[in-house]
Amino acid sequence: VNSKSLAEIYNKLSAAAGEGSLGLRSDLSSEDASDLADLLVEMRHVLMEELEAGIPGPDEPKRARVAAGSAQVAAGDTDGGSTVSKYQQMLAKAKAEKAAGK
């Protein structure tokens, strides 16, 4: 669901890109620019939610997957195995560093 939402937001932002001010189309209305700003806020919310909770797998609860990622990173198993993505490894490492007070 989040991937589809992010893809739609990205496509709308890409459609607004141009050579005008701030890299936007020069014919962009202020209302459209405001809508784009709202989309960026929505995109940020989705990304922050994923950072906090992890990305859910198709058959696996979020907490179990994040715990597995944390255990693999703690054990030094960062070979990119199929059960834990690079994103999940980075997330687990960041959470471990945050917990350690770095």
Side-chain angles (χ1 to χ4, degrees), residues 69-82:
S70 298
Q72 247 187 333
V73 169
D77 182 10
T78 57
D79 64 354
S82 62

Side-chain angles (χ1 to χ4, degrees), residues 1-10 42-56 62 65 87:
V1 175
N2 284 346
S3 296
K4 183 177 179 181
S5 218
L6 289 173
E8 289 174 7
I9 293 170
Y10 177 80
E42 182 181 340
M43 180 181 257
R44 180 185 183 277
H45 175 73
V46 170
L47 293 172
M48 293 305 293
E49 182 180 286
E50 286 185 353
L51 281 173
E52 291 294 321
I55 299 173
K62 289 180 190 178
R65 205 184 54 263
Y87 166 78

